[in-house]
Amino acid sequence: MAAALAVVALALLVGWSVRPTLSPTDRILRAVAASTVAALWLAAAIGHVAALRFTSPADIDAAAGGSPDSAQVAMAQAVLRNTLEQVVLAIPAYLALAWVVEGSGAMIPMLAGLFSVGRTLFWAHYARGAAARAFGFALGFYSSVAALVIVLVALVGRLI
């Protein structure tokens, strides 16, 4: 988790140092693109659960019939649930950062990249336990929280 926090901090520092001059519209467009990346991860997780259910006679009606899901579907649903939580946090973070912070133009695509790497690692290592998936989880979570903290600091700075 600490390593992921360090990666996020380094990426945001690099993104801040680049600071391309972009219009608010261009920053919002970058946030929309980053949000689309996050939403595609959600679509992939939903599709994965659906594909597992579709190819398993035992799982296709398990939820409706009250039967327990197979271990494979239960694991896919856990990944889906976590991905949904991460997406719900990431999208407003991207949009708020783009709207409030003028120098966020390079940070936003970096956040989407961190989100994607994090989701890939989380998903790939989910079955190996919490320690194996922690880095992937933290990349997405810390990058979204860091964006929200940056927005909060910028807004408080405007009020003072």
Side-chain angles (χ1 to χ4, degrees), residues 97-116:
L97 188 66
W99 187 254
V100 173
V101 180
E102 288 182 21
S104 64
M107 286 190 283
I108 295 165
M110 286 184 176
L111 292 172
L114 290 171
F115 187 91
S116 292

Side-chain angles (χ1 to χ4, degrees), residues 40-154:
L40 285 170
W41 277 101
L42 182 58
I46 292 168
H48 185 237
V49 171
L52 290 174
R53 284 199 183 282
F54 184 73
T55 58
S56 167
D59 286 317
I60 199 159
D61 285 325
S67 302
D69 290 319
S70 67
Q72 192 176 22
V73 168
M75 189 179 312
Q77 284 187 327
V79 170
L80 168 58
R81 211 171 15 260
N82 184 266
T83 301
L84 174 61
E85 294 163 356
Q86 293 264 6
V87 167
V88 166
L89 187 62
I91 290 175
Y94 300 158
L95 293 169
L97 188 66
W99 187 254
V100 173
V101 180
E102 288 182 21
S104 64
M107 286 190 283
I108 295 165
M110 286 184 176
L111 292 172
L114 290 171
F115 187 91
S116 292
V117 170
R119 286 291 87 195
T120 300
L121 295 173
F122 181 83
W123 199 336
H125 298 293
Y126 190 87
R128 293 179 40 212
R133 63 183 176 256
F135 184 77
F137 168 85
L139 275 181
F141 179 71
Y142 289 157
S143 61
S144 296
V145 170
L148 292 171
V149 168
I150 291 167
V151 169
L152 182 62
V153 168

